[in-house]
């Protein structure tokens, strides 16, 4: 979140959840027995997985007749992702101990005034997700028998991008770079992709606009590459600013990733062009591990958060989704999935640009007595939602916002169905 | 260095140079005006560059007739690398401020007892080198007009490897992972390379052994990939343990990288097979940026060190050299360049395996009165050299060790040359010439 920049250079604050800057004073007293991490919220994750993945698996196994080779690769990838889920669940408590030891922690600002507001919550656990994801993605290359050299170039460029973004995200979490640099980082990390992108740089003009434009397709050339770079910058930073509530960053990623998977499988099932199918399969091969490892993180990050995810996670997740959108050739659909993030960005513009005063944190106000959050006048979806629909508890608010995200994705599918033929 | 594992979990130590663990107590007192970083040692770097690059440029421009396209790509890469040098020199002081603010620093153990031993030296500046290198390498793809899709796969796999290793190195610097995990990390980071490697997995049997083996080439298959993975683990960790003296880690990398460049250009000049030339060209495209950014780091890290490089640097550099050795198909030659590191590893084995007691630091003993280092009984090249050739100052010792790196390398490649009898005296004279009075 852009609002989380530290004002002073003294405190050791690097929090994903907004935190009062004075609370992160380095402690000389050593806690030799750090309380162990709360157990993962397995039941919640299991129910959420069923809910989000049921449509996907139905489409994959029953509804569409998918070519055998392709289905096998997808299933191998799913099995790898499942293994990655368990590995991540196991590694997060281990990493938390190391992270706490190095004073990478924060206090939960939305619990300030309650006993939970004094717990040191380990930060930057996105690094575990990033590393496990990269290992899964690297290993999967060995199992994809349908790969050709073009696919390998794009896949390795994607890995290089995601790896570089995770590196820059972790450097940001540790060193706390200025926000202007934070805006620049994703464009640098997206360069391998821009270099390796060998696809078309044309866009299809929506049918109603053809009379005005005069063409059915336009070749944008380098403009398209610029658009790709900006998409990467947008995806990473928009997740970063639509945050601050326990479980919101990972939750929105999980919802969007599920929508991406459903979209991919629908496009594979509905198409006969092998190249088109390959592009969407490519997206599946990277999104399944993203979903699995993110679910594992969510099991610790869901309300009440035992770990914070850090800029490492939001940058990693944003870049991965931008990469699959670009290489899968569905970036316009991806932007519609990102509708709440787009709205949040537009609402935030006055404050981010400095036109309106931008405080250190743009979070809702927490009342320790009632345990409810009240919306402030800041321009974020979180606050606007609270102002429209009244005070809420943190857990309820997050659930509402994720439901809004899911409805937005559902709306996108509806739109594509209704407009198919009219639009493209 | 494997010896640098923290015994306790309390102190916030993450030092590249060995440091007494009690010195890294977190300070509550805030230093408003951190003293600015000492200026880079530009004159020294300039002289060193001339020395190391002169043979390379001579071979590139005069001695060999190199195909025009290839020469143009190499020169574009060299220009990019030069820009990277200046960028790194500019970014290191900036990064140092951020790093110090986050308490990633160490005290120089080889200056303990002198005023310099109380300065907080910023750590993990290898991250600047890693990031600038990756940016240079990514941008260069655009300028390489001789690229085909096979080249692009290998290049992107190389970038993924090096990036992943830099990430793991930085995570290690920040979180200080256990040493068993440190051994495992490079094998994970090398996986993209192993997956993308589409070259031959055969080795050429040395002529004297052909009667015993029965073949003159042997296809190792998956064994060759295992060898590649082990090479990556070895290169990264061996630089890590041949360290502890100001400027040694970066210095050895700079010397080996120069040797790699000379080897590459010699192979290109002597060959007519375009695929062979491409492989060595590939190595040049990654080694020139490595050399340039490392020179920039050395300008701050040379004695007396203003910054420490961290495991980030040693892992990044080791992986880059392993990658170019593998993809350039000259890994056996690379191992010969790594001869001091191999000797150091063999000397270290008893202590690393636990057979002999392994102390926290295996550094020579520093005497604040004389300012000289004396070799201990630990099994490292640093200590053994001091025991053979007597006490030295830190700067002199590092210069000697780097010259040994050059000498052993050139002797290995040209066995007909003989080492001078009074090696120590000759080295002293040469060092005075290059490095100035030590």
């Amino acid at each position: 979140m852009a609002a989380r920049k530290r004002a002073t250079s003294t405190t050791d604050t690097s929090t994903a959840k907004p935190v009062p800057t004075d609370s992160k004073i380095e402690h000389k007293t050593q806690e030799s027995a750090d309380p162990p991490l709360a157990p993962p919220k397995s039941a919640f994750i299991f129910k959420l997985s069923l809910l989000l993945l049921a449509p996907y698996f139905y489409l994959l196994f029953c509804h569409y007749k998918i070519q055998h080779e392709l289905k096998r690769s997808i299933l191998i990838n799913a099995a790898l992702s499942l293994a990655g889920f368990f590995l991540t669940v196991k590694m997060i408590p281990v990493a938390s101990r190391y992270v706490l030891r190095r004073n990478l922690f924060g206090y939960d600002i939305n619990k300030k005034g309650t006993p939970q507001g004094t717990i040191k919550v380990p930060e930057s656990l996105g690094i575990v997700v990033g590393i496990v994801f990269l290992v899964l993605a690297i290993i999967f290359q060995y199992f994809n028998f349908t790969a050709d050299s073009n696919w390998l170039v794009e896949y390795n460029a994607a890995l290089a991008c995601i790896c570089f973004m995770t590196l820059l995200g972790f450097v940001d979490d540790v060193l706390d770079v200025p926000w202007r640099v934070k805006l620049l980082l994703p464009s640098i990390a997206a360069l391998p992709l821009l270099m390796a992108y060998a696809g078309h740089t044309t866009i299809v003009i929506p049918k109603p606009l053809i009379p005005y434009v005069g063409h059915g397709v336009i070749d944008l050339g380098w403009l398209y590459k610029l658009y790709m770079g900006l998409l990467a910058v947008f995806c990473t930073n928009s997740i970063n600013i639509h945050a601050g509530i326990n479980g919101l960053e990972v939750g929105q990623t999980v919802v969007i990733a599920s929508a991406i998977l459903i979209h991919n499988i629908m496009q594979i099932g509905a198409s006969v062009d092998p190249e088109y199918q390959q592009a969407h399969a490519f997206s599946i091969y990277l999104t399944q591990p993203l979903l699995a490892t993110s679910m594992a993180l969510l099991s610790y990050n869901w309300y009440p958060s035992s770990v914070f995810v850090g800029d490492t996670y939001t940058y990693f997740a944003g870049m991965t989704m931008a990469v699959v959108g670009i290489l899968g050739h569905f970036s316009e659909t991806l932007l519609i999935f990102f509708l709440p993030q787009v709205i949040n960005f537009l609402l935030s513009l006055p404050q981010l640009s400095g036109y309106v005063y931008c405080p250190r944190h743009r979070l809702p106000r927490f009342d320790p007595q009632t345990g409810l959050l009240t919306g402030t006048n800041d321009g974020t979806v979180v606050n606007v939602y609270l102002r429209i629909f009244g005070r809420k508890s943190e857990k309820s608010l997050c659930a509402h916002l994720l439901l809004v995200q899911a409805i937005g994705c559902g709306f996108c599918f509806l739109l594509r169905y209704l407009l198919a033929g009219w639009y493209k």
Side-chain angles (χ1 to χ4, degrees), chain A residues 150 286 290 296 304 317 400:
Chain A
N150 210 32
L286 290 178
L290 172 68
H400 275 240

Side-chain angles (χ1 to χ4, degrees), chain A residues 118-129:
Chain A
T118 58
I119 301 174
K120 288 201 275 184
V121 184
E123 262 271 12
S124 308
L125 268 301
I127 190 65
V128 180
V129 175

